[in-house]
Amino acid sequence: MKSYPIKFTPILKERLWGGTKLRDVLGKEISSDITGESWELSAVPGDVSVVANGPYKDKSLQELMDTHGAALLGESVLSRFGTEFPILIKFIDAKQDLSIQLHPNDELARKRHNSFGKTEMWYIMQADEGAELIVGFNKNVTKEEYTANLEKNTLTDILNYEKVKEGDTFFINTGKVHAIGAGVLLAEIQQTSDVTYRIYDFNRRDKDGNTRELHTEQALDAIDYEKKDDFKVAYTKEKNVSNTMVECPYFTTNYMDVEGHLEHDITGRDSFSIYMCVDGEAEIAIGEITEKVRKGETVLIPATTEMVNLISDKAKLLEVYIG
């Protein structure tokens, strides 16, 4: 396999709650004023990313996996997931509050939907004054208390609200009730899964006057009703090293503050690597091939790569791989 920083054409998604920051802040080519998501790297059926640069231009991510297997993914990743790309990478712009939701764990998702569960993390790229997330409950609740609040339209009274700013990072494990609040622009790394249980949508209606489907019954045995302070990620920001943010069975994410020229040895990782540029811009070089990434862009590095050169006056990157 040819090893170079592979870029993909973003898959843009209009959402009821979307806005214009993906265009105005991240420079995406978008005409719509309600674009909520840019899928940067996806192998979700029907939404498979297509290469935008280099020798593999116009090939799909699925074609690369089918053709190159372990050279792209890594032997350990291939043995665990086959040629199903295990994570989905997005940028999300919430002009309005997203619905309150949660995701089932692997066991429940497999039984009900023949799918993986959905563990995810968020890195806040920009937040309007006073912007918040909902993460978990503000007290321990029983299933009966939860149901009573849902019926009385008082669910938000028992939820935990977190004010956010740039750089804040949150780990959302399965079962945790959550929602992105209005005014938040973030990077999301998640298991490849589209299984979401929506439990409350603020009684909103779409342009045709319809409410969105709720998954009230399915959610009941998928929710973690316990109040837990396990979601805010503390991490160091040392320059020119990989600062660990999240390590879980589904992905590892590091924060990299790059200034100058960094020779980054990734020998023996046995996984593809992903670099999401969350601020500034950088050149990513593998051998003689160089690709520039700007804020809001993402590249995929094949697993056979041993050394990545990162060159920047000032860039913040999220480095993602399967540990």
Side-chain angles (χ1 to χ4, degrees):
M1 179 175 198
K2 294 180 177 68
S3 183
Y4 71 99
I6 305 172
K7 278 187 173 178
F8 292 83
T9 302
I11 299 167
L12 302 167
K13 300 282 189 179
E14 288 192 349
R15 298 293 189 235
L16 185 66
W17 40 261
T20 62
K21 288 181 184 176
L22 295 175
R23 177 182 69 215
D24 300 342
V25 180
L26 301 189
K28 304 288 182 186
E29 294 184 9
I30 301 170
S31 56
S32 164
D33 288 342
I34 56 163
T35 301
E37 301 185 16
S38 175
W39 290 23
E40 298 290 298
L41 197 48
S42 165
V44 174
D47 285 302
V48 179
S49 296
V50 174
V51 178
N53 69 331
Y56 300 124
K57 184 172 165 52
D58 298 328
K59 299 279 189 189
S60 74
L61 176 56
Q62 192 63 55
E63 286 178 274
L64 293 187
M65 291 190 293
D66 291 342
T67 303
H68 301 288
L72 177 71
L73 298 171
E75 290 284 1
S76 64
V77 176
L78 185 64
S79 67
R80 279 181 67 190
F81 301 102
T83 53
E84 293 184 34
F85 201 69
I87 53 179
L88 174 58
I89 301 289
K90 301 177 182 177
F91 294 113
I92 295 177
D93 168 28
K95 185 176 181 181
Q96 300 179 34
D97 295 331
L98 271 68
S99 62
I100 299 171
Q101 57 189 241
L102 65 134
H103 310 293
N105 61 27
D106 283 348
E107 184 183 359
L108 202 53
R110 194 175 296 113
K111 185 168 75 174
R112 288 182 177 171
H113 312 283
N114 193 30
S115 170
F116 288 111
K118 186 172 166 185
T119 297
E120 60 191 334
M121 67 165 283
W122 297 331
Y123 173 89
I124 309 301
M125 296 176 68
Q126 185 271 334
D128 295 348
E129 187 70 32
E132 297 177 311
L133 304 176
I134 290 171
V135 193
F137 294 101
N138 59 25
K139 62 176 184 175
N140 291 336
V141 297
T142 63
K143 188 182 291 189
E144 292 70 30
E145 283 178 287
Y146 163 80
T147 304
N149 278 275
L150 205 56
E151 289 171 352
K152 290 187 297 183
N153 217 28
T154 56
L155 178 64
T156 54
D157 291 351
I158 59 173
L159 298 177
N160 175 56
Y161 286 79
E162 294 280 328
K163 288 233 184 320
V164 294
K165 63 184 185 307
E166 180 190 343
D168 287 349
T169 300
F170 296 83
F171 181 68
I172 312 295
N173 43 24
T174 54
K176 191 177 295 298
V177 171
H178 61 275
I180 302 170
V184 175
L185 174 68
L186 58 77
E188 178 177 275
I189 297 139
Q190 60 156 94
Q191 281 178 275
T192 294
S193 171
D194 224 13
V195 182
T196 295
Y197 295 161
R198 186 184 298 120
I199 56 175
Y200 185 67
D201 197 30
F202 305 97
N203 304 312
R204 284 184 291 208
R205 296 181 181 275
D206 64 18
K207 63 182 188 299
D208 300 318
N210 301 312
T211 57
R212 292 197 291 176
E213 181 186 5
L214 299 179
H215 307 94
T216 307
E217 290 302 318
Q218 284 181 305
L220 289 176
D221 59 352
I223 293 174
D224 182 351
Y225 295 98
E226 190 178 340
K227 173 181 167 22
K228 292 176 180 172
D229 296 321
D230 59 352
F231 47 81
K232 188 82 178 278
V233 176
Y235 62 99
T236 56
K237 298 182 180 181
E238 186 181 345
K239 284 189 190 301
N240 293 335
V241 298
S242 290
N243 299 276
T244 303
M245 303 174 93
V246 168
E247 285 183 296
C248 74
Y250 311 107
F251 52 82
T252 294
T253 303
N254 301 326
Y255 173 87
M256 300 186 73
D257 186 349
V258 179
E259 202 169 301
H261 182 178
L262 171 63
E263 291 187 349
H264 189 41
D265 186 349
I266 56 173
T267 309
R269 181 168 285 178
D270 199 21
S271 166
F272 59 84
S273 300
I274 296 164
Y275 293 94
M276 304 180 77
C277 187
V278 293
D279 199 23
E281 62 178 54
E283 290 183 0
I284 299 181
I286 298 171
E288 300 300 312
I289 305 174
T290 300
E291 188 65 56
K292 183 172 282 189
V293 287
R294 297 178 175 85
K295 182 177 182 178
E297 292 186 326
T298 303
V299 295
L300 174 66
I301 309 296
T304 51
T305 309
E306 296 183 347
M307 182 71 70
V308 177
N309 285 281
L310 304 169
I311 306 107
S312 177
D313 291 336
K314 183 70 175 171
K316 296 175 182 175
L317 305 173
L318 302 184
E319 178 186 49
V320 186
Y321 56 94
I322 308 298

